[in-house]
Amino acid sequence: MTTGTPTVPPLTDRVCSEPFRLFFPVGVLLGWIGVGHWLLYGVGLTESYSCFRHGLLQTQAFLMAFAVGFLWTALPRRIAAPLASGREIALALAALLLTGAALVVDAFVAAELGYLALFTLLLAFAVRRARAGTVQRRPPAAFVLLPLAALLGVSGALLILARLVLDAPPWTIALGALFIQQGVFLCLVMGIGALVLPLIGGTPPPPDLFSSPRETRVAWAFLALGVTVAASLVAESLGAVRGAPIVRGVAVALALAVGGGAYRLPRRTGLHRKLVWLAAWLAPAGLVASGLLPDFRVPALHVLFIGGFSLMAFGVATHVSLGHLGLADAALGRPKPVVVLAAGILLALLARVAADTSHTYFEHLASAALCWMIGTGVWLAWLAPRFVRR
Ligand code: HEM
């Protein structure tokens, strides 16, 4: 007998259909562990800190969780392919948690193995759907950068493992870290940005790959920019600490401004849209600044890490969440939690950049971490109940 009441799919089905409901909150928690490091050290609750651990936690755990949440939600819909299965979701979650937990206890070999497992799962996800012939539509041209991101991630982990396990020369770990901390996400930001920036900005989405000779040329152009980014990372590890980041910044700016349309402001209203647009410019700005001011390299790079990568991750996550959770009005407005998110991330950026010129370095780091955690915490507290609900 039907009651007329629509049946609510169980939470596991909703997570398979919309994996962001699980991976975005997990990403926030992993991000807190990564930046919380500086807060705990600043207030004297821990006696040591590790820059290497922090950098890898942010890029191999926090950002990867957001990438999986976005890709496994958006990709099956865009290419009309089957959604993620419960097994795929469980394995990806396990790989992410293994990577994060291993980094926390400085078990770097286990962490790299967890990270490699995650890329294997991402690859298997795409290959399984392509081989089963269940893909009914091609992705946009810029998605040629996704395999390149995976190649950089896998090579980066193997280079780090070569140093840790086989005692390879020190350049291997330095280049591996560059591939992971910058290469993977620069390729993802350029590739995904070309799809997301028009969608968020209110302009037509990009056509499918190979749908016309023009789109084939566009794909080659994106690939050339991705290869430029990868080559500049190798050049930087060989000593080109000024020129290489500048070239990389120009390549990223071209991909996002011309390829993604970031040369103009979003046409639609909605604070998160402006945040994504701002992140698209802060990413290349941080790279260029790190090349112009090599003595100020790490703080300048945080314009990329905090203002580019983390702001972009939360801006896009806001768009995906509001769209899927039926909060269309909020997507056109300025919801207070998004204002707090923006303020928290931008204050964190200012405090992180100011730290190196201050006499209170660790106090500045702790304040930056606190601002970032408050901003992202308010955002999570706003959306988390909706992630669980139907
Ligand atoms: C919000 C507060 C943050 C603080 C206080 C902070 C602080 C730091 C510090 C002190 C270092 C090491 C500097 C050194 O080697 O001398 C560092 C490195 C790094 N941070 Fe952060 N960070 C923050 C946020 C982030 C975020 C959100 C990301 C990524 C999305 C990130 C990614 C990295 C990476 C990849 C490195 C390694 C850079 C390199 O050595 O090339 N950080 N951070």
Side-chain angles (χ1 to χ4, degrees), residues 182 186 190 224-236 240-255 283-292:
Q182 297 190 34
L186 289 175
M190 292 191 294
L225 292 173
V227 170
T228 305
V229 165
S232 77
L233 293 166
V234 177
E236 184 170 336
V241 291
R242 279 180 179 274
I246 296 177
V247 168
R248 191 151 69 244
V250 172
V252 174
L254 274 175
L287 285 169
V288 172
S290 76
L292 293 175

Side-chain angles (χ1 to χ4, degrees), residues 38 51 54-55 58 181 297-298 302 305-306 352 361 365:
W38 301 113
C51 301
H54 158 76
Q58 294 303 95
Q181 294 174 346
R297 177 180 172 274
V298 177
H302 276 75
F305 297 144
I306 302 178
R352 175 61 194 94
Y361 179 70
L365 295 188

